[in-house]
Amino acid sequence: MRVLVAEDHRILARTIATGLRRRAMAVDVVGSGDAAERMCLVTDYDVLILDRDLPVMTGDELCRRLRAADGAPPILMLTAAGEITDRVYGLTALGADDYLSKPFDFAELVARVRALSRRTAKAPPALLRYQDIGLDRAKRRVTVEGRTLELTPKEFSVLELLMTARGAPVPHDELVRTVWDEHLDPRTSAVRATVSRLRGKLGGAARIAADNGQGYRLCD
């Protein structure tokens, strides 16, 4: 899942982004409404977390503009204006998909983000299987020959993407775009290091093949 956080309070934005990344989401962060609009024009986000009180272009104006365009992501408004009239206005007049008042419980924020993503996407199968590897999306559990593996969020997401491809190659840039975010330098070894650790946990290098240096695929 890829999420854009549009929040001008730097500490709060960083806290939200860190928490979502720990839950295996790729997160981009901007601090103004105009920057959020530019990001939405060039990137397909699963959810936009949008503060109403943004500089340059307010969250209200951005929400209106995105709703008037095609392909806008689901919008979760995050704001200190928590009266019932504020929520009704955000959901009806502005066209937000959900509304969460500050201060909020982070677990609720995560649940709402995941719920919004499910509404607009075709529900993927909860259980994936490839050869003797099993992956349970709901429980975030991976087994090999019945043995449970301890994977990091990034390792889990990489394996999920490879298993969804069912042996077809997954390009390096797709791994970066889906599992990481815009801040990852594509020249770094982050993807290679994650795949290397994942190979070891799956039982060896023969489990995941490099696709001519352009990406990776699960071996038959």
Side-chain angles (χ1 to χ4, degrees), residues 52-101:
R52 288 185 67 177
D53 299 317
L54 290 174
V56 185
M57 181 193 300
T58 66
D60 288 8
E61 177 61 21
L62 175 60
C63 191
R64 290 192 190 96
R65 292 172 69 124
L66 291 176
R67 280 291 163 258
D70 293 329
I75 298 172
L76 169 60
M77 277 198 158
L78 195 63
T79 175
E83 298 296 326
I84 291 178
T85 53
D86 294 316
R87 295 198 297 270
V88 171
Y89 181 75
L91 294 169
T92 55
L94 299 179
D97 297 279
D98 202 354
Y99 198 104
L100 187 60
S101 302

Side-chain angles (χ1 to χ4, degrees), residues 38-197:
R38 289 195 298 271
M39 293 294 287
C40 288
L41 289 175
V42 299
T43 305
D44 291 326
Y45 289 103
D46 296 292
V47 177
L48 166 61
I49 298 176
L50 178 63
D51 181 27
R52 288 185 67 177
D53 299 317
L54 290 174
V56 185
M57 181 193 300
T58 66
D60 288 8
E61 177 61 21
L62 175 60
C63 191
R64 290 192 190 96
R65 292 172 69 124
L66 291 176
R67 280 291 163 258
D70 293 329
I75 298 172
L76 169 60
M77 277 198 158
L78 195 63
T79 175
E83 298 296 326
I84 291 178
T85 53
D86 294 316
R87 295 198 297 270
V88 171
Y89 181 75
L91 294 169
T92 55
L94 299 179
D97 297 279
D98 202 354
Y99 198 104
L100 187 60
S101 302
K102 302 175 183 177
F104 57 87
D105 183 89
F106 192 76
E108 182 180 4
L109 173 68
V110 172
R112 288 174 180 264
V113 166
R114 287 178 171 160
L116 284 176
S117 179
R118 288 196 299 269
R119 288 181 199 173
T120 56
K122 181 181 179 181
L127 300 175
L128 295 176
R129 181 159 293 280
Y130 189 83
Q131 305 293 339
D132 57 355
I133 305 172
L135 185 146
D136 187 323
R137 282 187 165 108
K139 297 180 180 179
R140 301 196 66 78
R141 180 170 177 262
V142 173
T143 60
V144 175
E145 297 180 345
R147 174 174 55 90
T148 300
L149 304 183
E150 294 293 332
L151 301 184
T152 67
K154 287 287 187 286
E155 291 165 357
F156 184 93
S157 296
V158 168
L159 180 60
E160 181 180 19
L161 197 57
L162 293 175
M163 290 185 69
T164 302
R166 299 196 58 80
V170 179
H172 181 276
D173 60 350
E174 184 177 347
L175 284 167
V176 172
R177 184 176 64 252
T178 306
V179 179
W180 280 267
D181 53 46
E182 64 167 347
H183 300 293
L184 179 70
D185 186 337
R187 296 170 296 180
T188 67
S189 61
V191 176
R192 185 169 64 253
T194 301
V195 170
S196 178
R197 293 194 303 269

Side-chain angles (χ1 to χ4, degrees), residues 1-5 20 25-28 45-47 49 113:
M1 187 189 307
R2 187 157 191 177
V3 179
L4 176 62
V5 177
L20 295 180
M25 301 183 199
V27 185
D28 296 331
Y45 289 103
D46 296 292
V47 177
I49 298 176
V113 166

